[in-house]
Amino acid sequence: MTVTMHTPDVDDLGDAVLALREWQYDAKTVPLHPGDLGWHWTTGAEATAAAVRTWSRDGRILAVGLLDGPGVLRLTIAPSAQDDDELAQQMTADITRVGRGVLPEGEVAVEARDAAVLGGLLSDEGWAPGEQWTPLARDLAEPVGAPGVRIELVGPDRVAAHTAVHRSAFDSARFTDERWHAMAEGLPYADARSLLAYDEHGDAVAAVTVWSAGRGRPGLLEPMGVHPDHRGHGYGRAICVAAAAALRNMGSSSATVCTRAANGGGVATYESAGYRRLPDVPDLVRSA
């Protein structure tokens, strides 16, 4: 059977989420996670479906991609298909040819940390290493310990505080209360938690959302941020410890996160919370 690419509709998104859940395993990198789709769900189910691409053979999904903006494709391949030449060749054709409806003309990037065969074919097409990313992971076999600050689970009564911390942390107005509710209505959020850290004055100072992929599989932090007025006091470390504890309570094997290698402060924060730095991985970029 030939490999075919598909853009799912809303009703098909569950198949992509389920495939990503089943493919998660503890490794030296952090592949695309159902939580990545869950975070994208802040834009709504229809927009998320339009941003997803799946590659299948004989009705079985072998790879899932997420258009994280118009010029960036983040993807992962089923562990059993990572050496599948036919799949890699078809994905290369779909990714590199503008008319296939994946990436536009000009400078674009592909994040494919677990796709060596695909990466080699893209390199043969002239794609080159781009921005470096740093994956980190914390093993959850043992109890995590206390974060040292007050942590609260975000429900309807704490949404405004959660989104306000995020907007300040990322200097972005996009994450509104409405977007949080859209995220919470998405399929992946059934296995997610949003957390807030508070200082001694009762002010919300740090926020994180964690995503489980099921018992015995790695969970994901996406996103984590500290209010700029409260940085330098250990709140980033505290919320990352709390995130790990929440994922352990949900049965995750590890807590994982990936950030730009250039984000030295972020990498240091995760390491201070017990996350082990894994080898940096570059995007692959096609220049204009």
Side-chain angles (χ1 to χ4, degrees):
M1 299 292 291
T2 58
V3 175
T4 58
M5 186 185 71
H6 178 58
T7 300
D9 57 27
V10 171
D11 292 338
D12 293 333
L13 273 176
D15 294 334
V17 172
L18 179 60
L20 288 175
R21 284 172 57 94
E22 292 177 346
W23 298 345
Q24 301 303 309
Y25 63 99
D26 292 295
K28 293 183 178 180
T29 186
V30 179
L32 189 70
H33 192 277
D36 292 306
L37 268 63
W39 174 239
H40 199 283
W41 227 288
T42 58
T43 62
E46 291 80 8
T48 301
V52 170
R53 301 291 184 272
T54 62
W55 285 266
S56 304
R57 182 192 290 120
D58 196 21
R60 175 174 170 247
I61 296 177
L62 300 176
V64 176
L66 175 66
L67 290 167
D68 194 5
V72 178
L73 176 68
R74 304 175 60 195
L75 60 85
T76 199
I77 296 175
S80 62
Q82 289 175 7
D83 296 326
D84 188 319
D85 289 330
E86 182 191 17
L87 173 65
Q89 290 170 8
Q90 185 61 54
M91 292 179 72
T92 299
D94 292 332
I95 290 167
T96 58
R97 298 176 188 175
V98 174
R100 299 294 180 94
V102 180
L103 290 169
E105 294 180 340
E107 184 169 324
V108 293
V110 169
E111 176 192 285
R113 305 184 192 117
D114 58 356
V117 176
L118 173 64
L121 292 175
L122 290 175
S123 297
D124 292 343
E125 294 275 346
W127 294 53
E131 184 172 23
Q132 295 280 339
W133 292 82
T134 299
L136 302 101
R138 173 166 177 161
D139 183 84
L140 298 179
E142 301 296 332
V144 172
V149 301
R150 173 186 158 204
I151 302 292
E152 297 288 353
L153 180 67
V154 176
D157 58 330
R158 299 186 189 274
V159 171
H162 182 84
T163 59
V165 169
H166 177 94
R167 289 192 298 270
S168 296
F170 291 93
D171 192 22
S172 171
R174 290 184 297 176
F175 192 39
T176 61
D177 293 3
E178 291 74 18
R179 286 201 167 199
W180 187 93
H181 285 290
M183 174 184 75
E185 291 170 1
L187 293 174
Y189 199 79
D191 297 305
R193 304 287 186 273
S194 293
L195 306 174
L196 273 171
Y198 289 82
D199 68 7
E200 67 273 19
H201 304 295
D203 295 324
V205 295
V208 70
T209 298
V210 296
W211 307 84
S212 169
R215 299 193 67 85
R217 299 188 177 104
L220 178 73
L221 283 66
E222 178 61 29
M224 185 283 289
V226 179
H227 193 291
D229 293 343
H230 299 278
R231 290 173 183 163
H233 301 286
Y235 297 124
R237 175 191 177 279
I239 197 75
C240 290
V241 170
L247 285 170
R248 188 174 190 274
N249 288 340
M250 287 189 279
S252 297
S253 58
S254 61
T256 65
V257 67
C258 195
T259 188
R260 288 177 169 85
N263 180 17
V267 173
T269 294
Y270 293 121
E271 288 186 309
S272 73
Y275 292 70
R276 180 172 58 92
R277 182 171 184 167
L278 303 173
D280 290 354
V281 184
D283 286 344
L284 285 173
V285 175
R286 184 188 66 201
S287 66

